Amino acid sequence: AITDIIAEKGKQEIVYLDDSQRRAAETDKCPVLVAAGPGTGKTQTLTERISYLIKNGVDPKRSLALTYS
């Protein structure tokens, strides 16, 4: 489970997001759609979004993340 992975790491990783990525990752609105071109940080934004939600009390079992290429 994702919570096990987070607990197992036991350290804070520094992630650099630009302002628009940070807004998408930390908004209280749900759902969030991130549409951008290749190499713009969509996956990083998505993983930070999931991390943000879990840290703010959302049950990981209630999250769904979809990506495709």
Side-chain angles (χ1 to χ4, degrees):
I2 189 74
T3 51
D4 296 332
I5 294 169
I6 291 170
E8 185 177 304
K9 281 191 170 189
K11 64 177 183 176
Q12 181 72 26
E13 292 187 24
I14 298 172
V15 177
Y16 299 99
L17 299 178
D18 66 25
D19 290 338
S20 62
Q21 292 167 327
R22 178 76 52 203
R23 282 193 310 274
E26 296 180 354
T27 185
D28 292 327
K29 297 178 182 178
C30 289
V32 173
L33 171 66
V34 176
T40 57
K42 294 178 299 295
T43 301
Q44 187 66 49
T45 302
L46 179 62
T47 57
E48 283 302 301
R49 172 81 178 147
I50 294 167
S51 174
Y52 175 82
L53 292 172
I54 292 170
K55 289 175 186 174
N56 285 282
V58 173
D59 181 357
K61 294 177 185 173
R62 298 189 46 87
S63 295
L64 173 66
L66 299 174
T67 65
Y68 65 92
S69 56

